[in-house]
Amino acid sequence: MILVSGGAGFIGANFILDWLAGDDEIILNLDLLTYAGNLETLASLRDDPRHVFVQGDICDRALVDRLLATYRPRAIVHFAAESHVDRSIHGPGDFVRTNVEGTFTLLEAARAHHASLDAAEQAAFRFLHVSTDEVYGSLGTDDPAFAETKAYEPNSPYSASKAASDHLVRAWHHTYGLPVLTTNCSNNYGPRQFPEKLIPLMIVNALAGKPLPVYGDGLNVRDWLYVTDHCAAIREVLARGTPGEIYNIGGWNEKTNIDIVRGVCALLDELRPSADGSHARLITHVTDRPGHDRRYAIDARKIERELGWRPAETFDSGIRKTVQWYLDNPQWVADVQSGAYRDWVAANYGTRGQAA
Ligand code: NAD
Ligand code: DAU
């Protein structure tokens, strides 16, 4: 079996659903169920013995030790994190705790577990750390895309905490010989993403007739990858990646935020037209995010060349599936928009003035 941390979040849950659709190897899912974790996303696995769920904290060393000793997984795939940049600006402490201390705790527990395995099991064991392109910092318009050799220049509390965790993972390989793999991926989108991130936020706001808050001039650029393509890349790295190596994952799909938002509006105009006119009428430029990185772009040639991975979705096919999923799952959306979600919306957008 494999241990997945953070498997009730957006990418972790998609990873588990994809894994069990094609494989019977059991997944032990350790997730604290913070605001971002949602077991409803995994409701289809409720009676499936291949999914073992444990609610718990990756910072809880005794719990992690107990799980490793009981289940003896052959790999750990580490998704659990605080993942939202805006929240890291409002409250960086949780990010240092979960992303840095939590990764440290998992690494130490994995090191002890690895030492307890026999030689063949040790050789097969992997610790796969799921990280982000944000650790590389911000690119200018003409800069080359991020390769694995790019120096780290994190700019937000979120990316700084992920950068710290990447460095710990690297050190546990070089110092202790733990067979680690690190993936640094660009912006994911797709079904089951919490509506605090750009694309799902725009879909649910547009459907509710609420303003679509675009930070600053809307010309920041992100590289977008459909979530199941990220999951497939992680499976490839886990199966065939070289321990100690880093793999950058991206969709060769750079877009400005304003183009993303206009595209979502155009799809909604087609699939769920509004009597009040195009959803684009709701676009509102608001005060920019502090320290807002201008551009990310991923050079994915290493994983393509060495592991033969390529994205299966184009942006057009992926964004259509995504919008359709949110239209088809209003109850999931209503359930995650709890009191805590409304508090966050008030904290992040209530004081954000309209941009001139
Ligand atoms: P998410 O915020 O949707 O989910 C995070 C999950 O981790 C939640 O289920 C939460 O309950 C759990 N969690 C948080 N703190 C925990 C703790 N202390 N112990 C146990 N579980 C805890 O995040 P996501 O978007 O699915 O991202 C998953 C990983 O992928 C993160 O490490 C993130 O940095 C990385 N990543 C995300 C993106 C993206 O675009 N979303 C891109 C590249 C990399
Ligand atoms: O690049 C990978 C990263 O992508 C992941 O590591 C993070 O976990 C993930 O959250 C994401 O970070 P971003 O900050 O790029 O994602 P977000 O969806 O928050 O914002 C995308 C862009 O849209 C960014 O330039 C900010 C802008 N934005 C975002 C929100 C929430 C807006 O203009 N308005 C908004 O309301």
Side-chain angles (χ1 to χ4, degrees):
M1 69 148 58
I2 66 169
L3 188 156
V4 165
S5 74
F10 165 51
I11 305 174
N14 277 288
F15 178 83
I16 291 173
L17 291 168
D18 277 11
W19 179 279
L20 293 178
D23 198 316
D24 283 337
E25 189 174 11
I26 294 172
I27 289 193
L28 172 62
N29 177 3
L30 171 61
D31 194 299
L32 187 56
L33 296 182
T34 67
Y35 79 92
N38 181 3
L39 271 188
E40 272 313 297
T41 303
L42 296 170
S44 61
L45 301 177
R46 201 163 279 142
D47 299 317
D48 192 327
R50 298 172 305 162
H51 177 234
V52 180
F53 180 75
V54 175
Q55 182 173 7
D57 192 338
I58 56 167
C59 298
D60 181 344
R61 176 70 194 271
L63 170 66
V64 178
D65 281 347
R66 210 162 48 243
L67 292 175
L68 293 177
T70 307
Y71 292 99
R72 301 180 63 76
R74 67 166 179 94
I76 295 174
V77 184
H78 175 33
F79 292 96
E82 289 291 336
S83 70
H84 189 36
V85 173
D86 292 317
R87 284 186 193 256
S88 81
I89 295 166
H90 286 255
D94 285 347
F95 287 71
V96 173
R97 182 179 176 279
T98 293
N99 300 357
V100 185
E101 226 183 282
T103 302
F104 163 72
T105 306
L106 273 191
L107 284 168
E108 278 293 81
R111 182 160 77 93
H113 172 60
H114 186 250
S116 77
L117 301 174
D118 67 32
E121 290 169 331
Q122 281 191 347
F125 185 80
R126 297 288 182 270
F127 183 105
L128 192 154
H129 176 57
V130 180
S131 193
T132 170
D133 61 357
E134 301 206 8
V135 298
Y136 296 123
S138 185
L139 292 169
T141 318
D142 298 322
D143 289 338
F146 300 133
E148 288 79 1
T149 48
K150 164 81 175 64
Y152 274 33
E153 294 180 291
N155 293 317
S156 73
Y158 164 68
S159 54
S161 67
K162 290 296 289 188
S165 69
D166 291 9
H167 291 324
L168 292 176
V169 170
R170 176 189 161 90
W172 261 240
H173 175 69
H174 284 275
T175 303
Y176 302 116
L178 192 68
V180 306
L181 300 152
T182 298
T183 56
N184 292 88
C185 188
S186 59
N187 284 58
N188 284 213
Y189 69 99
R192 311 176 183 91
Q193 187 169 30
F194 193 77
E196 63 183 355
K197 307 281 167 66
L198 181 72
I199 289 178
L201 180 85
M202 295 300 157
I203 298 171
V204 305
N205 276 17
L207 287 173
K210 292 183 180 164
L212 307 181
V214 173
Y215 296 164
D217 62 9
L219 296 179
N220 301 68
V221 172
R222 297 290 181 267
D223 169 67
W224 293 94
L225 182 69
Y226 192 66
V227 63
T228 54
D229 281 325
H230 186 190
C231 296
I234 291 171
R235 289 197 303 273
E236 286 299 332
V237 173
L238 183 63
R240 296 188 296 113
T242 304
E245 289 293 311
I246 294 165
Y247 297 89
N248 283 0
I249 305 170
W252 300 105
N253 180 46
E254 290 183 53
K255 292 205 179 297
T256 62
N257 294 337
I258 191 70
D259 281 349
I260 292 281
V261 177
R262 287 194 185 119
V264 166
C265 290
L267 270 172
L268 287 172
D269 290 346
E270 176 195 329
L271 299 169
R272 188 66 60 84
S274 159
D276 298 327
S278 171
H279 293 90
R281 75 187 186 285
L282 299 168
I283 293 174
T284 309
H285 288 266
V286 298
T287 309
D288 210 349
R289 172 188 279 176
H292 195 177
D293 286 338
R294 193 61 172 170
R295 173 177 167 240
Y296 304 142
I298 280 275
D299 179 342
R301 281 177 295 182
K302 178 175 171 180
I303 188 171
E304 292 176 355
R305 189 177 60 242
E306 294 187 9
L307 303 182
W309 171 85
R310 290 231 167 18
E313 298 289 342
T314 64
F315 187 72
D316 284 351
S317 65
I319 192 70
R320 185 172 282 275
K321 283 185 186 176
T322 305
V323 170
Q324 192 63 57
W325 188 88
Y326 282 89
L327 290 174
D328 293 343
N329 290 278
Q331 193 56 51
W332 185 94
V333 174
D335 289 347
V336 299
Q337 291 177 314
S338 63
Y341 177 81
R342 287 195 292 276
D343 291 346
W344 162 249
V345 171
N348 191 45
Y349 298 99
T351 54
R352 208 182 267 274
Q354 285 204 8

